[in-house]
Amino acid sequence: MAYIANVEDGKVTSSYTKTELDGSIKKKISDSKTPGGELDKEAFLQLLVAQMQYQDPLEPTDNTEYISQLASFSSLEQMQNMSASMANMSTAADLQRATALIGNYVTVDYQGSDVSGKVDSVEIKEGEAFLSINGTSYPLSSLKEAVDSEYLEASLLSAQFTQAVKSLPSLEALTTTEAPIVENIRRVYDTLNDYQKSYISQSDLMTFKTYEEKMAELLAKEKETSSNNEDAKEESDETEA
């Protein structure tokens, strides 16, 4: 059985069998493992110190090997620091992306079902960004679709304009009683900004203008008829007088 001894001032202070030494080192390593079961830089350093502490004084480890292990330790530490830095950068990027969605309408996948609504706020939980929709938080990773609020409003107004034009009677059946409706559609259209108007179907717009022209003709004809009737009435009154 092989023995390994610690020697101080020429005296043996303690001795270990190789089995005991291996068990001691393994315990130090086990105590220093991360929750994920991997050795961190602290465990690596403890392993190196244990090797130095329990080395065979008659056959000490070569300095070159220690230097190599220290270089490996330095490389490990840099890799872990870089990993932590990248994780922070990823969190910051997710937060920026989530913040940009505030006020917009989104659709997320929640337990296999789509949930849609307006993003009220965002927050970070354990390094992950969450979107608050109608008071409930959903992870940014569950995002399926995002719709800009300005685009959504323009699309809704476009759909309303189309519906309003389609609700008008045929040109042949159009009468002056629909004049307030035609005037209201024009008034609403004129209040739209250029971006919103760009979403109005050109076909619907041309159809509406045709209705406007037809209505103008009907109103002009009605006015002319009314004027002729008034003139005829005046002439009749004069004749009777």
Side-chain angles (χ1 to χ4, degrees), residues 136-206:
T136 303
S137 294
Y138 302 92
L140 180 62
S141 58
S142 66
L143 178 67
K144 293 183 61 177
E145 182 183 29
V147 181
D148 180 75
S149 57
E150 187 176 5
Y151 163 78
L152 181 61
E153 182 180 12
S155 298
L156 292 175
L157 289 172
S158 173
Q160 291 174 0
F161 183 85
T162 298
Q163 184 60 37
V165 173
K166 288 183 177 180
S167 67
L168 293 171
S170 64
L171 285 173
E172 293 74 15
L174 189 67
T175 65
T176 55
T177 57
E178 282 83 35
I181 299 176
V182 174
E183 292 174 357
N184 185 60
I185 295 176
R186 166 54 66 179
R187 184 165 52 253
V188 171
Y189 177 81
D190 289 341
T191 61
L192 304 180
N193 56 42
D194 292 338
Y195 177 78
Q196 293 167 340
K197 288 180 180 179
S198 67
Y199 283 86
I200 298 296
S201 167
Q202 291 301 307
S203 175
D204 290 339
L205 186 59
M206 292 301 296

Side-chain angles (χ1 to χ4, degrees), residues 2-6 12 14-18 21 53-57:
Y3 283 87
I4 299 175
N6 284 343
V12 176
S14 59
S15 62
Y16 305 86
T17 64
K18 187 176 185 304
L21 175 59
Q53 181 180 357
Y54 299 117
Q55 66 179 323
D56 187 346

Side-chain angles (χ1 to χ4, degrees), residues 21-45:
L21 175 59
D22 290 343
S24 177
I25 293 177
K26 287 180 180 179
K27 184 177 186 306
K28 287 179 178 289
I29 295 174
S30 178
D31 292 343
S32 300
K33 283 187 176 181
T34 62
E38 298 179 355
L39 290 175
D40 59 9
K41 60 184 180 181
E42 184 67 23
F44 189 96
L45 186 58

Side-chain angles (χ1 to χ4, degrees), residues 68-191:
S68 176
Q69 292 180 356
L70 285 172
S72 298
F73 168 74
S74 178
S75 176
L76 173 64
E77 185 176 27
Q78 290 179 6
M79 290 176 61
Q80 289 183 334
N81 291 339
M82 183 179 297
S83 177
S85 178
M86 291 180 65
N88 291 335
M89 290 176 61
S90 177
T91 300
D94 286 346
L95 178 59
Q96 183 178 15
R97 180 186 172 201
T99 302
L101 294 173
I102 295 177
N104 293 335
Y105 289 84
V106 302
T107 298
V108 298
D109 183 1
Y110 179 66
Q111 298 180 350
S113 300
D114 288 348
V115 177
S116 300
K118 186 177 181 181
V119 179
D120 303 317
S121 61
V122 300
E123 60 180 333
I124 295 293
K125 296 179 181 179
E126 299 180 355
E128 185 176 5
F130 283 78
L131 307 174
S132 176
I133 305 172
N134 300 326
T136 303
S137 294
Y138 302 92
L140 180 62
S141 58
S142 66
L143 178 67
K144 293 183 61 177
E145 182 183 29
V147 181
D148 180 75
S149 57
E150 187 176 5
Y151 163 78
L152 181 61
E153 182 180 12
S155 298
L156 292 175
L157 289 172
S158 173
Q160 291 174 0
F161 183 85
T162 298
Q163 184 60 37
V165 173
K166 288 183 177 180
S167 67
L168 293 171
S170 64
L171 285 173
E172 293 74 15
L174 189 67
T175 65
T176 55
T177 57
E178 282 83 35
I181 299 176
V182 174
E183 292 174 357
N184 185 60
I185 295 176
R186 166 54 66 179
R187 184 165 52 253
V188 171
Y189 177 81
D190 289 341
T191 61

